[in-house]
Amino acid sequence: MTIADRWLLPDGMDEVLPPQASRMEELRRGLLDLYHRWGYDQVMPPTAEFLDSLLTGTGSDLALQTFKLTDQLTGRMMGISADVTPQVARMDAHSLKRQGPVRLCYCTNVLRATPDQHQCGRSPVQVGVELFGHAGREADLEILNLALASLSAAGAREIHLALGHIGIYRSLVEASGLEGDAERAMFAALERKSPGELAARVEASVGDPGLAEMFMALGRLHGGVEVLDEAQEAFAEAPAAVTAALEQLRTLLSGVQAAHPGVSLYLDLGELRGYAYHTGMLFAAYVPGYGQPLAKGGRYDDTGRAFGRARPATGFSMDLKQLATLSPAEPPRDGIWAPAEGEGLVDAVMALRARGERVVQALPGQRTGPTEHRCDRQLVLDDGHWQAVTL
């Protein structure tokens, strides 16, 4: 290996340098404080867990994203966390065992074997919240509003919220008796938004004319809030679970519009992202200039069943690295430059730092000065006292 190769990082891995690191830390503190004000308690999940715990209740996508290794103490397979949500679900079900609604938040590094199509890189800093123990639309609305508040706190403007409900497709599949290859083919056609392919799948697999038309409607029911009125008509004869899902979406839309009137709303009733994982409402929030959602989440009930405690659950997650790019700003010049030595200087510097001031003390022979070290003031000795004067 040559010297030139030693600084190379693996594809998808990145380092965070000043001033971006400072911006991320400032944002991390601000978001965790926001979640604290909403009643969420912070947790810190482990970096690695046994695979049978880490991947419980998740889809195959997460299994492919997870780095796997052998535990040298037990010989069991372990995985490095690629998504915090299943870990927090385990904490709620097994470690905390609290009664009633439980609100948890986190901010931690994760590692992915492959880049996430919704988040850039393989080493995000995942920040998010999870609400356990309440199955009502009120919990989903709280999560939606908190996700939007998080983006606003990070400096996002012109937020576009895409909302769907996985339960609509699930109910139609159950009513039509689709399974195996037929269901997978229907899923693929809807996911690709291909009308021709969808029509072929429906003709081949759905015998009931009413259900066939409903599947076709799923492929075209996307757009503004008016989509709900169209869906009400298209699914007039649908199973009761579909009607309930539409009513829930209407409530959520009204709640978001009231709390965040400036947010653009988009509905896609054929959205199937996270089909193996989500059980109800799902959403993604976009900002102009970013090709992927900055926040995504939804309902994922009963993930804790494998740990002996099935619980309703809803939440969202974001990548702190992405959020920190929303308002890139030069760090403030707020430091005090101190000389390398001087009578009484040590006590003066300690006193300033104790008051919360940022003091940069020069080292003997140092050639850089206050400007390079973000200092807008300088300590000078005046009549036997060290004073901070503006540069």
Side-chain angles (χ1 to χ4, degrees):
M1 177 181 291
T2 66
I3 293 178
D5 293 329
R6 294 185 187 277
W7 59 267
L8 292 175
L9 293 173
D11 288 345
M13 304 296 181
D14 58 353
E15 56 194 5
V16 183
L17 304 174
Q20 190 72 353
S22 297
R23 170 62 181 146
M24 284 179 59
E25 177 59 18
E26 176 187 14
L27 184 55
R28 184 192 70 85
R29 295 176 186 177
L31 289 175
L32 290 177
D33 285 346
L34 171 66
Y35 303 152
H36 173 75
R37 293 194 296 272
W38 281 58
Y40 286 76
D41 296 323
Q42 185 180 358
V43 294
M44 296 182 179
T47 301
E49 295 191 33
F50 291 123
L51 272 182
D52 52 3
S53 170
L54 193 63
L55 300 181
T56 295
T58 65
S60 60
D61 289 347
L62 186 58
L64 293 174
Q65 287 180 333
T66 301
F67 274 102
K68 302 170 181 66
L69 63 157
T70 302
D71 179 18
Q72 299 301 311
L73 295 180
T74 65
R76 293 175 61 185
M77 289 300 296
M78 296 175 62
I80 299 175
S81 175
D83 185 354
V84 180
T85 301
Q87 295 180 283
V88 180
R90 175 186 54 74
M91 291 178 176
D92 170 72
H94 176 72
S95 303
L96 292 174
K97 299 180 181 178
R98 294 176 181 173
Q99 298 301 312
V102 172
R103 295 173 170 87
L104 302 175
C105 65
Y106 55 85
C107 184
T108 187
N109 294 78
V110 296
L111 184 63
R112 292 174 179 156
T114 59
D116 186 339
Q117 62 175 328
H118 300 294
Q119 293 179 321
C120 56
R122 294 197 291 167
S123 58
V125 179
Q126 191 174 351
V127 57
V129 306
E130 315 294 342
L131 200 169
F132 301 96
H134 194 279
R137 61 192 69 178
E138 297 84 0
D140 287 328
L141 181 57
E142 178 173 317
I143 288 298
L144 281 169
N145 283 331
L146 187 49
L148 295 172
S150 299
L151 291 174
S152 296
R157 300 294 179 266
E158 298 183 49
I159 301 173
H160 301 264
L161 180 67
L163 193 62
H165 199 298
I166 208 77
I168 297 175
Y169 175 73
R170 287 189 191 280
S171 297
L172 295 182
V173 166
E174 182 178 350
S176 62
L178 281 177
E179 56 184 18
D181 291 341
E183 192 277 327
R184 284 189 286 271
M186 183 75 73
F187 179 94
L190 267 173
E191 193 173 39
R192 284 194 284 267
K193 295 285 191 292
S194 171
E197 186 181 351
L198 179 60
R201 289 295 104 210
V202 170
E203 184 179 0
S205 305
V206 183
D208 184 286
L211 285 173
E213 180 51 39
M214 291 179 201
F215 274 109
M216 291 301 300
L218 270 186
R220 63 175 184 268
L221 286 172
H222 52 85
V225 294
E226 69 279 357
V227 164
L228 269 185
D229 293 330
E230 298 173 26
Q232 209 79 44
E233 182 176 346
F235 296 128
E237 303 299 324
V242 174
T243 302
L246 294 176
E247 290 176 355
Q248 181 188 19
L249 287 175
R250 194 175 295 278
T251 299
L252 296 178
L253 284 172
S254 297
V256 168
Q257 287 174 319
H260 302 274
V263 171
S264 298
L265 297 172
Y266 177 85
L267 282 168
D268 187 352
L269 302 189
E271 172 60 62
L272 300 177
R273 173 181 53 82
Y275 177 65
Y277 183 67
H278 287 297
T279 59
M281 176 276 294
L282 70 161
F283 70 92
Y286 297 83
V287 173
Y290 293 81
Q292 62 284 320
L294 293 190
K296 55 190 177 75
R299 180 161 288 280
Y300 58 101
D301 291 342
D302 297 341
T303 301
R305 183 183 303 277
F307 305 106
R309 193 169 181 238
R311 296 257 283 170
T314 181
F316 69 89
S317 64
M318 307 173 292
D319 180 1
L320 192 67
K321 290 180 181 178
Q322 286 184 319
L323 293 181
T325 65
L326 283 169
S327 55
E330 286 297 319
R333 300 179 61 81
D334 57 359
I336 300 174
W337 181 258
E341 55 186 14
E343 185 177 352
L345 180 61
V346 172
D347 291 339
V349 168
M350 291 178 62
L352 286 168
R353 288 172 176 163
R355 295 206 301 265
E357 293 281 5
R358 180 175 182 267
V359 182
V360 182
Q361 187 169 7
L363 295 170
Q366 182 170 341
R367 294 185 178 182
T368 52
T371 301
E372 293 88 346
H373 296 276
R374 294 173 28 214
C375 294
D376 61 349
R377 290 159 292 166
Q378 179 172 317
L379 273 184
V380 298
L381 190 61
D382 182 15
D383 196 22
H385 298 283
W386 290 98
Q387 304 288 340
V389 298
T390 304
L391 289 169

